[in-house]
Amino acid sequence: MASDIRRHAVLPCPNRQLTNRCRWPRLRVLIKSDFMTDRISAIVNDSLETKRRFFEAHAGEVERAAEMIAAAFTAGGKLLLFGNGGSAADAQHIAGELVNRFLLKRRALPAVAFTTDGGVLTCIANDTGFENVFARQIEALGAQGDICLAISTSGTSPNIVAACEQAREQGIRVIGLLGRDGGSVKSLCDLALIVRSDDTQRIQETHNLIGHILCELIEAEIFPVPNRLR
């Protein structure tokens, strides 16, 4: 694409009288194209490097997380997911892949994202505080044998901390999908998957890949290969 822009940017103006007026705008197009191409490359390389560093150090922990969730499903437990903002979207994304299907034609798996019921969320936030929006749902719906997947790029969100504390009180195991140094949520997790980066977008991109890998490994653990969709 950059070469196409560069090729068109150096075409001469059809009207010689307009040459001086055309030259500089076209030069700006060329400079902008090079800048944007370099920036895209830098963003992609940074994202890939963040993922590489994480999986080189923590692939075994991702495998363990998948095994924990698969074992919970096999024993009749549920996966309870929650997060804020982009992490809320990640929670819903993972839940959707498990309830419906990822790569296999198979039965639905019981995964619940606590970020989707506007009535419940606003009721709890209005009456008892936003820090309780996930903890109260765990108290209502969680049981021993379930797994909580707490997603937080900072590891410090008060409602994530409260939810993990509630899960521990009920004997529910917690897997943390975290960023930076894991924050205060790290110590509340049975297993913490920490993407050690200070860039929220790089953490979220790696979380998204971890989520897809978990879905694929969980399906492979529970269901036979012949049901693969592609």
Side-chain angles (χ1 to χ4, degrees):
M1 184 177 69
S3 62
D4 290 339
I5 295 174
R6 192 175 294 111
R7 183 168 59 251
H8 291 300
V10 297
L11 288 175
C13 285
N15 188 333
R16 289 181 179 276
Q17 294 178 349
L18 298 178
T19 298
N20 289 335
R21 274 186 283 172
C22 290
R23 182 182 299 123
W24 296 113
R26 292 187 176 195
L27 180 58
R28 284 197 294 271
V29 170
L30 176 60
I31 293 172
K32 182 178 180 181
S33 171
D34 287 342
F35 170 77
M36 295 299 283
T37 300
D38 290 345
R39 186 167 186 176
I40 290 168
S41 295
I43 291 169
V44 171
N45 288 336
D46 192 27
S47 183
L48 292 172
E49 178 61 17
T50 302
K51 295 180 179 72
R52 184 195 63 77
R53 287 198 309 266
F54 174 81
F55 286 105
E56 279 188 354
H58 303 293
E61 293 167 2
V62 175
E63 180 182 1
R64 183 182 164 205
E67 290 171 346
M68 288 172 63
I69 298 168
F73 284 148
T74 301
K78 306 181 296 295
L79 180 64
L80 311 175
L81 307 95
F82 44 89
N84 296 292
S87 297
D90 287 341
Q92 293 165 214
H93 182 177
I94 295 169
E97 302 286 19
L98 294 171
V99 169
N100 185 30
R101 62 188 186 185
F102 190 60
L103 296 178
L104 303 181
K105 295 179 180 178
R106 39 80 174 175
R107 65 176 174 84
L109 294 170
V112 182
F114 285 160
T115 55
T116 60
D117 192 325
V120 169
L121 290 168
T122 54
C123 176
I124 297 170
N126 186 65
D127 293 350
T128 65
F130 190 71
E131 67 274 12
N132 297 312
V133 292
F134 303 133
R136 290 291 285 177
Q137 293 186 75
I138 291 173
E139 184 179 355
L141 301 174
Q144 286 191 4
D146 292 343
I147 298 281
C148 283
L149 183 59
I151 310 176
S152 174
T153 59
S154 68
T156 61
S157 301
N159 57 7
I160 303 296
V161 173
C164 293
E165 290 173 341
Q166 181 64 41
R168 292 181 70 85
E169 185 177 321
Q170 293 178 224
I172 299 171
R173 290 180 295 168
V174 178
I175 298 171
L177 196 51
L178 310 173
R180 294 178 170 80
D181 64 357
S184 52
V185 174
K186 176 183 175 181
S187 63
L188 298 171
C189 295
D190 295 273
L191 176 62
L193 305 175
I194 304 172
V195 180
R196 296 188 179 276
S197 171
D198 291 325
D199 292 332
T200 299
Q201 62 271 30
R202 302 292 89 84
I203 297 168
Q204 289 176 326
E205 290 156 6
T206 308
H207 282 181
N208 188 258
L209 179 56
I210 294 169
H212 278 168
I213 290 172
L214 287 175
C215 290
E216 184 165 348
L217 294 180
I218 290 164
E219 283 191 334
E221 185 79 9
I222 300 174
F223 302 101
V225 174
N227 290 335
R228 189 175 179 87
L229 291 171
R230 57 184 185 276

